[in-house]
Amino acid sequence: MTEIKKQIADALCTAAGGAIDAAELCAALEYPPSAELGDLAFPCFRLSKTMRKAPPAIAAELAEKFSCPAVGRVQVAGGYLNLFLDKEYLVRHVIACTLHADKPYGGSEDGKGKTVVLDYSSPNVAKPFHIGHLGTTVIGHSLKKLHAFAGWNCVGVNHLGDWGTQFGKLIVAYRKWGDREKVEAGEIDELVSLYVRFHAEAEKDPSLEDAARAEFTKLEAGDKDNLALWKWFIEISLREYQKTYDQLGITFDSYKGESFYYDKVPAVVEALREKGLLKIDDGASIVDLEPYGMPPCLILKNDGSSIYPSRDIAAAIYRKETYNFDKCIYVTSAGQSLHFAQWFKVVELMGYDWYDKLVHVPYGTVSIDGAKLATRTGNVVLLKDLFATAIEKARAIIEEKNPTLENKDEVAKQVGVGAIVFHYLSNGRIKDINFVMEDALSFDGNTGPYAQYTYARMRSILRRAEAPANGENPKVTSPEEVELAKVISRFPERVQAAIAEYEPSNITRYILDLCAAFNRFYHECPILSAEDADVRETRLALVTAASDVLGNALDLICMGKPEQI
């Protein structure tokens, strides 16, 4: 629809005698609330000042002078000019842009020559990969795919939480209650048990907290034994995380975590000191942000050790020097919004002219039946358990409905994991989610499995067709064909909106719109059995177009595309 809108805007600009820029006209075009009011509408109110006429008079004048091959007829409705697209032009345009284009429909080169660094997932080492990590992981990777689809050079960074006092706690717990063989066998689950036990025991014996701080101080100082344990904990954790990333089809370009930037913090501190930004407050080093309506940004704790803001600033400087990014995106919980606003402001005060290229993409919290997630109390739903349950359910359904399917295990994985991903990304990212297992695993209604089943149906039709459709001379005979073409034509706009708003749910909502339009078309319009050869060719071409677009859309939200279910 983007190209058609541009054509219409150019024609409106001509009809209006150049009273307004064509780009402004294009941005002003609206989708009417019902089909009776047209496919697009232009509000003429914005031309009143330049054309010095009432909006209804402007609409009437534009209707008389307007001419565009994409539009079949126009209608004046008060101050609006309603535009009804030429049906065959629309279908021909959609088929040409999908079947006969040299790049995927909806993709672009908007980001050509530009680099975006995306910091996402970033679990804390030695802690489980639970439902609370799903947001940053799938939102982040979807944004990476969306930017790549728009031509950006993308660098995915997994900024591991591999530094901090939690390692002192884990070292103490391991030495007091741990067993190497048990940890090797239980892997991250055993590390979590030790971490949970530490907090339970520390409730009774607060001196354990002091012991943990002492062990972390030794780690920071390079103690050989503590470093060996720390590296071991990281290896165990990464092996576990990789299983989840493999299920989601996610890869990263860098796993540099907090520890990598530890020795880069002193340079940041010195730069802040030289610029007169650093102040001492109760022994801690801070940057005063009161003039900007924020609490002070803590740079060094009163014992001289670094903290999240100082390491994040060091990481941002390193990434700018290494990748020369045009944009650096951080996908984290909305609870960290103040943290990012603070250190972004510090980067600006340091004089870096790229401070406005730093983007925080927040998302809502996840609770389980209203209770906050907490590793230390064990109140988590592990992603591996959730995925296993969903895959098992998907396989049972496949066994019942399609027992002869050859690759049942692979399809069950695609459908089961896809159900969880789609359920999560169906919500606007900033919305808080109360996670209910039954809802996430539902395969009925507007769900991931429904979208994947629709895709498999499209692929089945195309496999049974005698030859690929060309569709160069479409013959349009039903409103369902036109409606499907309309929905397909809106895909580039939805991709652009998803990128501009950092909102993958634009794509999940689009997927449901496309599936609904296709299934209406499928039920109302004979495809392979159509008697008229031109009609059959047109409908096959629309199935091909819908299949390509739906496949791309599923890929953009990290979902598998099963050819059969």
Side-chain angles (χ1 to χ4, degrees):
M1 193 65 76
T2 305
E3 291 302 318
I4 288 179
K5 277 186 171 182
K6 288 178 181 177
Q7 292 179 35
I8 291 171
D10 287 340
L12 282 171
C13 185
T14 300
I20 188 170
D21 182 69
E24 288 184 55
L25 284 167
C26 190
L29 289 169
E30 301 174 356
Y31 289 109
S34 68
E36 290 75 26
L37 297 174
D39 300 307
L40 290 164
F42 176 68
C44 298
F45 309 93
R46 62 191 308 119
L47 293 177
S48 294
K49 191 172 182 179
T50 53
M51 294 184 72
R52 299 185 179 183
K53 293 180 182 178
I58 295 172
E61 183 178 331
L62 291 178
E64 185 179 338
K65 297 179 179 179
F66 179 82
S67 177
C68 177
V71 177
R73 66 185 179 93
V74 297
Q75 177 190 76
V76 175
Y80 282 85
L81 184 66
N82 294 335
L83 306 151
F84 296 81
L85 298 178
D86 180 276
K87 296 176 175 55
E88 293 201 343
Y89 184 96
L90 171 64
V91 173
R92 186 183 299 107
H93 172 80
V94 165
I95 291 171
C97 290
T98 50
L99 274 63
H100 307 299
D102 56 1
K103 62 183 179 183
Y105 188 55
S108 70
E109 295 187 351
D110 292 348
K112 187 176 181 180
K114 294 187 282 189
T115 295
V116 57
V117 173
L118 300 103
D119 179 328
Y120 61 101
S121 195
S122 310
N124 287 323
V125 166
K127 292 186 180 181
F129 212 133
H130 57 68
I131 186 64
H133 296 115
L134 186 61
T136 174
T137 304
V138 295
I139 292 171
H141 202 63
S142 179
L143 291 178
K144 183 183 178 186
K145 283 177 167 283
L146 282 159
H147 279 80
F149 200 55
W152 288 75
N153 172 43
C154 299
V155 180
V157 175
N158 197 334
H159 187 75
L160 295 171
D162 62 358
W163 204 245
T165 54
Q166 72 266 29
F167 288 100
K169 296 175 182 180
L170 198 53
I171 289 169
V172 169
Y174 175 72
R175 289 196 174 128
K176 278 185 170 292
W177 311 296
D179 176 89
R180 191 170 188 92
E181 286 187 7
K182 283 182 69 176
V183 172
E184 286 288 2
E187 295 192 310
I188 203 166
D189 292 340
E190 184 62 22
L191 293 181
V192 171
S193 295
L194 289 170
Y195 186 77
V196 171
R197 182 171 181 180
F198 175 90
H199 283 280
E201 297 289 342
E203 290 283 328
K204 298 177 282 185
D205 182 6
S207 69
L208 287 172
E209 296 282 0
D210 294 328
R213 281 189 285 271
E215 292 299 339
F216 180 60
T217 299
K218 286 168 63 179
L219 178 62
E220 286 190 303
D223 179 83
K224 188 165 63 175
D225 292 337
N226 281 11
L227 277 171
L229 282 176
W230 171 72
K231 289 177 181 176
W232 182 45
F233 296 154
I234 291 174
E235 289 169 6
I236 290 170
S237 302
L238 285 177
R239 283 200 301 268
E240 181 66 25
Y241 299 153
Q242 193 58 49
K243 296 173 187 174
T244 299
Y245 293 139
D246 287 346
Q247 287 180 308
L248 290 165
I250 288 176
T251 58
F252 292 93
D253 304 290
S254 168
Y255 278 87
K256 289 182 173 66
E258 290 184 67
S259 63
F260 179 80
Y261 303 103
Y262 175 67
D263 64 357
K264 295 171 177 55
V265 170
V268 171
V269 175
E270 184 59 29
L272 288 167
R273 188 175 285 117
E274 286 179 359
K275 291 180 180 293
L277 294 168
L278 211 60
K279 295 183 178 180
I280 304 301
D281 182 32
D282 196 23
S285 298
I286 66 163
V287 174
D288 181 17
L289 297 178
E290 185 179 355
Y292 310 100
M294 288 182 279
C297 183
L298 183 59
I299 301 298
L300 296 175
K301 292 187 281 188
N302 53 19
D303 62 2
S305 60
S306 64
I307 195 166
Y308 292 120
S310 52
R311 295 196 287 267
D312 279 340
I313 293 168
I317 294 169
Y318 172 85
R319 290 169 186 173
K320 182 62 179 176
E321 291 174 347
T322 304
Y323 304 113
N324 192 27
F325 59 72
D326 297 274
K327 188 160 57 170
C328 188
I329 296 171
Y330 298 81
V331 184
T332 75
S333 164
Q336 296 185 43
S337 294
L338 176 60
H339 162 76
F340 282 94
Q342 287 175 303
W343 76 257
F344 285 4
K345 175 55 73 172
V346 173
V347 169
E348 179 184 357
L349 295 174
M350 291 176 78
Y352 289 110
D353 60 4
W354 44 266
Y355 72 91
D356 57 348
K357 308 302 182 186
L358 303 172
V359 180
H360 180 223
V361 176
Y363 60 88
T365 58
V366 177
S367 57
I368 302 171
D369 295 327
K372 186 178 179 182
L373 300 172
T375 306
R376 65 181 62 184
T377 62
N379 183 40
V380 292
V381 172
L382 302 185
L383 272 185
K384 64 178 181 181
D385 295 339
L386 182 60
F387 286 167
T389 303
I391 292 168
E392 183 181 352
K393 180 174 180 179
R395 201 181 196 292
I397 292 173
I398 291 167
E399 285 284 5
E400 178 187 344
K401 294 189 174 182
N402 192 2
T404 61
L405 184 66
E406 290 183 4
N407 56 336
K408 291 177 190 173
D409 290 339
E410 177 60 24
V411 173
K413 186 186 86 170
Q414 289 179 320
V415 175
V417 172
I420 305 300
V421 171
F422 196 90
H423 174 74
Y424 188 93
L425 291 180
S426 293
N427 298 287
R429 62 173 164 78
I430 205 64
K431 183 180 178 183
D432 290 341
I433 297 174
N434 182 31
F435 187 80
V436 179
M437 184 80 77
E438 293 74 21
D439 293 344
L441 297 182
S442 173
F443 285 22
D444 300 321
N446 291 331
T447 62
Y450 160 70
Q452 289 171 315
Y453 180 77
T454 301
Y455 179 78
R457 171 177 277 170
M458 295 172 179
R459 303 305 297 170
S460 174
I461 293 168
L462 296 176
R463 280 194 302 274
R464 288 184 284 125
E466 295 172 3
N470 185 291
E472 289 184 345
N473 297 298
K475 186 174 182 180
V476 181
T477 57
S478 75
E480 289 79 17
E481 294 165 337
V482 178
E483 186 57 33
L484 178 58
K486 271 194 226 174
V487 176
I488 292 171
S489 74
R490 292 174 188 169
F491 183 52
E493 291 179 339
R494 300 296 277 273
V495 170
Q496 290 168 3
I499 294 171
E501 299 165 15
Y502 303 103
E503 184 58 88
S505 67
N506 276 307
I507 304 300
T508 53
R509 290 194 296 269
Y510 174 80
I511 285 171
L512 293 176
D513 290 345
L514 180 56
C515 288
F518 175 80
N519 284 314
R520 284 193 297 270
F521 162 80
Y522 174 80
H523 288 294
E524 296 297 328
C525 303
I527 302 168
L528 297 177
S529 61
E531 295 182 2
D532 186 298
D534 291 336
V535 170
R536 181 181 185 277
E537 177 78 2
T538 300
R539 291 175 180 174
L540 264 178
L542 283 171
V543 175
T544 305
S547 166
D548 289 349
V549 169
L550 180 55
N552 286 334
L554 289 170
D555 186 58
L556 290 174
I557 58 165
C558 315
M559 284 184 66
K561 301 176 287 187
E563 293 279 322
Q564 292 177 282
I565 296 181

